[in-house]
Amino acid sequence: MARKILCVAEKPSIAKSVAQHLSGGQFNTHSIGGNAFIKNYEFDFNFSPPWGQCSVIMTSVVGHLTGLEFAQEYRKWNACAPGQLFDAPVETGVDKDKKAIAANITSQAKYARALFIWTDCDREGEHIGSEVRQAAFEGNRTIEVKRAQFSNTEREHIIRAAQNPINLDDLQVNAVAARTELDLRLGAAFTRFQTLTLQTMGGDLQDRIISYGSCQFPTLGFVVDRYFRVQKFVPEKFWSIKVMHKREDMEVTFSWRRHRLFDRASVVTMFERCLTACIAKVTKLQKKPTSKWRPLPLTTVELQKLGSMYLRIDSQRVMKIAEELYNKGWISYPRTETDTFDKGMDLKKLIEKQGQDQAWGGYALTLLRGGFKQPRGGRHNDQAHPPIHPVNYVAPSSLADDERRVYEFVVRRFLACCSEDAKGESTTVEIQYGDEAFSANGLIVLERNYLDVYPYEKWTSSQPLPKFSLNETFEPTEANVTEGETTAQGYLTEPELISLMDANGIGTDATMAEHIAKIKEREYVMTQPRAGSAQTNGTTSRGGRGGRVVRGGSSARGGGGGGGSVQQFIPTTLGVALIEGYNGIGLETSLGKPFLRKEMEIKMKEICAGTTSRNDFVHETLEQYREIFVRTQQQAGVLKAVSDCITFA
DNA sequence: GCAAGGTC
């Protein structure tokens, strides 16, 4: 009886670190023919019963092994009417460039008693596990299949996972299979239909692909939605009362509790009552400690948002750079939803490695000498990867420019997480003046703490307030009515777009940047720099009616560092026409809205919970989209309008 | 020539 166990991870890097932990560093490495990345690691390990001491082959795949395709006779664009793709037969096949990897698993399985699957513990990982299982069955019908449950690659954790295997969860496998089938059928059907129809209408759309995808369309929808809100915005005038007082050579501005009103006559009346009263009285005086919280451990979505906010690098490029840094071993796996560090992780060891840096090394050392605080924990955990953090030190001078900036950000963010919150003292003075209440705020920063290593955030002491005492009365130095106007929100920026996608479940942390790049490539949207923008700390005040307040005509936006300006997304005529076309069809669920994708996400969770079956879900969803498809065909005018827009624009 | 999901 062969005492051999085959282990397969989702990616080469995991196979390697698992092999290192289980073997204690004693393993042989074999290359496989046909793929330069995959290695087979060979060693012995003592598993829990019934397996006991076994020889192990640890290898990996590189993500999915297989893909879903239409049967051969439906692959040509003119082979069938696009509508037939709703029911056309589909088949699963091993991707061309994955044949050698599948063959490796098939042949290794022949001599193995059991297969241990070490793919990531998320839905896609479960499905990849089922693809691995299938490849193993091709070589060995009776191989026993288990799955290791792990959420990081720490030694103890990995050994525990090896000794407590569970079973593959076929419910999760089914959920992913359903999504795959729907994305293929709907994507291909609508893409071919739109593209072919618009081609026959002539105009400038001859050689373009007018693609539809369950993620790219809602992404486009967000851009178009904001565009129209900006276009339709009507500015409104508002008025406010400002009170100033000079004391001890300091000028204090009190702001009105009512903030602002949209009726000038009322404001003037109230203001006159203040003047009549003449005297203001201090009604409340409060000093209290306040703090600014250190940031949460870094997730992919945050990295993408902050990359474009702080570093002005777009999300796709940030991800590409992060992947390179990961592949070189400088930072941890950059695709993670987790914003909590595992309790068992040795964070101090990671901080120590940063001690040698010229810029932040000194700060890292102060953390080790007592400044260290266990990071805050967020509410997200994908059970597969830790938050993004530096794993090794690399001298910034040896990195390319943007690479250096991303690495520095990851390091500084990590050190900030492990620091104490910033501490300050806030003072509030409230006064009664006539019938109106006003207040002034002062802040003194006492300890900067994490802010010393995290220059991306600002927290500055305001001008200190002069002394006031409770119930004292005084005559304000100056008071007047100010006038302002609400201004429209800007067009959508990339961080805003990513937030919307995240909140609506459009795409995954690993693919959001791709969807954004896709709608640019299709020329559904374009980006342009926002005029007059500079780096902000995300503290822009917003007006109550959707607009940003510009007081007395002068913009509150300050300077600040940062290269370049914020990019904003503007839909092209084509993008607008597509979304408007589908919104105008009159069905409640438009292709341009995020609801359908959101529902898909909910249904996938139901499949995982066992309350919905894969078949029911696929059929119901197909029927739902078929109605939209049929209606779109009937109302050819919808797409005709798109064509006209483009031709005569 | 289509999608979205993995990863290199």
Side-chain angles (χ1 to χ4, degrees):
Chain A
M1 180 74 209
R3 285 218 168 265
K4 190 175 131 176
I5 289 185
L6 172 62
C7 295
V8 183
E10 184 165 322
K11 39 190 165 279
S13 61
I14 297 284
K16 188 171 185 183
S17 57
V18 171
Q20 271 162 347
H21 290 319
L22 297 188
S23 68
Q26 303 293 306
F27 56 84
N28 293 315
T29 306
H30 306 281
S31 293
I32 71 160
N35 190 300
F37 300 103
I38 307 286
K39 302 273 184 290
N40 289 347
Y41 301 102
E42 189 182 358
F43 54 90
D44 290 339
F45 184 75
N46 193 7
F47 288 88
S48 50
W51 297 286
Q53 187 74 21
C54 295
S55 71
V56 180
I57 295 288
M58 176 89 221
T59 186
S60 79
V61 288
V62 268
H64 286 285
L65 262 184
T66 63
L68 194 66
E69 270 189 313
F70 290 107
Q72 190 62 54
E73 60 269 38
Y74 293 87
R75 286 182 206 168
K76 281 223 158 55
W77 276 47
N78 285 309
C80 67
Q84 282 185 270
L85 299 176
F86 280 88
D87 321 282
V90 288
E91 47 198 45
T92 300
V94 175
D95 296 344
K96 224 185 194 162
D97 53 341
K98 308 288 175 63
K99 299 262 193 225
I101 303 173
N104 179 46
I105 292 169
T106 301
S107 71
Q108 291 296 339
K110 283 184 183 144
Y111 313 102
R113 173 180 169 188
L115 167 69
F116 274 39
I117 291 165
W118 288 82
T119 49
D120 294 353
C121 291
D122 51 29
R123 270 194 324 231
E124 295 294 333
E126 216 64 16
H127 192 272
I128 294 168
S130 78
E131 297 166 35
V132 170
R133 174 176 62 186
Q134 187 54 41
F137 280 160
E138 300 292 332
N140 182 347
R141 291 284 147 210
T142 61
I143 195 167
E144 189 172 357
V145 181
K146 300 304 276 183
R147 191 226 206 292
Q149 201 177 21
F150 66 110
S151 59
N152 61 60
T153 53
E154 288 226 309
R155 188 170 173 277
E156 296 299 319
H157 186 74
I158 289 301
I159 289 173
R160 207 178 315 133
Q163 285 168 340
N164 298 282
I166 58 171
N167 292 317
L168 207 60
D169 179 1
D170 277 298
L171 294 175
Q172 289 187 61
V173 174
N174 286 338
V176 172
R179 178 204 47 78
T180 306
E181 184 177 343
L182 288 170
D183 281 338
L184 174 67
R185 290 188 186 283
L186 301 174
F190 279 98
T191 299
R192 287 189 199 177
F193 170 68
Q194 288 177 168
T195 306
L196 296 173
T197 307
L198 286 168
Q199 267 172 11
T200 64
M201 289 180 177
D204 296 338
L205 298 172
Q206 287 305 325
D207 300 314
R208 306 162 80 139
I209 297 165
I210 314 295
S211 64
Y212 165 79
S214 60
C215 288
Q216 48 178 278
F217 251 53
T219 304
L220 168 61
F222 292 132
V223 175
V224 173
D225 190 61
R226 173 68 72 87
Y227 174 74
F228 278 116
R229 268 194 284 156
V230 173
Q231 294 294 309
K232 287 175 188 153
F233 182 82
V234 181
E236 271 182 285
K237 282 208 160 130
F238 61 78
W239 293 266
S240 184
I241 303 172
K242 195 165 92 173
V243 175
M244 260 145 33
H245 191 61
K246 209 169 169 184
R247 176 178 286 185
E248 300 165 25
D249 264 344
M250 290 181 245
E251 207 161 69
V252 191
T253 303
F254 290 89
S255 55
W256 196 18
R257 182 181 284 172
R258 292 184 204 266
H259 187 40
R260 58 184 175 153
L261 294 176
F262 292 86
D263 177 38
R264 182 170 186 275
S266 312
V267 175
V268 170
T269 307
M270 294 170 190
F271 175 64
E272 278 165 358
R273 279 194 211 128
C274 294
L275 293 186
T276 308
C278 195
I279 296 297
K281 180 179 176 186
V282 177
T283 53
K284 192 178 164 193
L285 203 57
Q286 197 179 46
K287 255 190 192 177
K288 60 176 183 194
T290 177
S291 56
K292 188 171 169 64
W293 290 359
R294 59 202 191 276
L296 281 171
L298 187 62
T299 62
T300 306
V301 167
E302 281 299 297
L303 173 65
Q304 293 182 19
K305 283 201 271 191
L306 299 182
S308 91
M309 265 171 71
Y310 296 152
L311 311 177
R312 298 285 150 77
I313 304 176
D314 76 49
S315 57
Q316 210 186 24
R317 189 158 157 68
V318 165
M319 285 313 289
K320 195 168 168 280
I321 293 170
E323 262 154 42
E324 284 164 10
L325 290 169
Y326 160 71
N327 286 326
K328 290 178 190 160
W330 307 132
I331 68 170
S332 65
Y333 192 60
R335 289 186 279 270
T336 175
E337 294 171 27
T338 308
D339 53 11
T340 303
F341 280 108
D342 212 77
K343 285 253 171 344
M345 229 174 122
D346 191 351
L347 301 176
K348 287 191 181 167
K349 205 164 93 188
L350 299 169
I351 295 172
E352 207 180 308
K353 294 185 180 174
Q354 299 299 329
Q356 56 193 297
D357 188 80
Q358 289 202 332
W360 57 77
Y363 185 89
L365 295 176
T366 65
L367 289 184
L368 295 175
R369 289 194 211 104
F372 176 80
K373 274 229 62 182
Q374 182 66 24
R376 291 162 56 204
R379 284 173 306 155
H380 305 91
N381 197 329
D382 59 18
Q383 297 299 333
H385 308 283
I388 303 168
H389 61 271
V391 294
N392 272 307
Y393 178 75
V394 55
S397 55
S398 67
L399 295 173
D401 194 44
D402 280 349
E403 217 176 20
R404 193 196 76 240
R405 295 169 70 219
V406 172
Y407 178 71
E408 175 172 351
F409 173 70
V410 170
V411 174
R412 288 183 179 276
R413 170 76 172 214
F414 173 67
L415 296 174
C417 284
C418 298
S419 304
E420 182 75 69
D421 295 340
K423 297 280 163 64
E425 184 183 73
S426 83
T427 309
T428 307
V429 183
E430 274 180 34
I431 58 169
Q432 181 81 22
Y433 185 36
D435 293 337
E436 301 306 312
F438 300 82
S439 69
N441 263 297
L443 168 75
I444 299 170
V445 177
L446 299 172
E447 299 170 31
R448 288 179 48 80
N449 295 328
Y450 86 86
L451 292 168
D452 281 335
V453 75
Y454 201 63
Y456 316 100
E457 283 183 8
K458 302 265 182 294
W459 202 44
T460 43
S461 296
S462 58
Q463 186 181 293
L465 294 177
K467 234 180 167 31
F468 285 94
S469 38
L470 193 61
N471 296 323
E472 80 163 287
T473 55
F474 63 91
E475 188 178 341
T477 318
E478 195 184 327
N480 42 43
V481 171
T482 61
E483 186 182 302
E485 198 176 67
T486 57
T487 58
Q489 266 184 312
Y491 296 109
L492 215 55
T493 63
E494 190 164 34
E496 289 174 323
L497 181 53
I498 291 170
S499 296
L500 282 170
M501 294 173 75
D502 189 36
N504 287 279
I506 307 300
T508 68
D509 47 12
T511 60
M512 281 181 206
E514 289 174 32
H515 299 313
I516 295 173
K518 179 72 78 182
I519 61 173
K520 278 197 228 171
E521 180 194 328
R522 296 279 188 247
E523 295 184 70
Y524 296 162
V525 303
M526 50 193 206
T527 55
Q528 56 172 232
R530 177 177 284 179
S533 67
Q535 191 153 5
T536 66
N537 308 319
T539 51
T540 312
S541 63
R542 294 204 179 274
R545 300 201 179 178
R548 198 174 71 228
V549 185
V550 180
R551 225 166 245 286
S554 76
S555 168
R557 297 209 148 198
S565 53
V566 188
Q567 293 291 314
Q568 53 184 6
F569 286 78
I570 303 191
T572 59
T573 320
L574 172 60
V576 169
L578 284 169
I579 294 295
E580 284 294 280
Y582 283 111
N583 282 349
I585 281 184
L587 286 174
E588 223 172 277
T589 43
S590 166
L591 288 193
K593 296 266 157 64
F595 310 128
L596 285 169
R597 181 70 203 195
K598 220 172 182 175
E599 197 173 307
M600 196 146 138
E601 194 59 31
I602 292 167
K603 286 280 165 41
M604 282 172 78
K605 289 200 172 114
E606 287 177 8
I607 295 176
C608 291
T611 53
T612 296
S613 84
R614 167 184 169 181
N615 272 342
D616 288 353
F617 169 47
V618 171
H619 284 124
E620 280 164 22
T621 309
L622 285 176
E623 287 323 302
Q624 209 177 353
Y625 277 77
R626 202 197 298 266
E627 196 187 345
I628 298 173
F629 191 84
V630 169
R631 288 278 273 272
T632 312
Q633 277 182 316
Q634 286 167 350
Q635 304 179 18
V638 170
L639 286 179
K640 185 76 172 66
V642 174
S643 167
D644 291 347
C645 273
I646 306 309
T647 312
F648 304 112

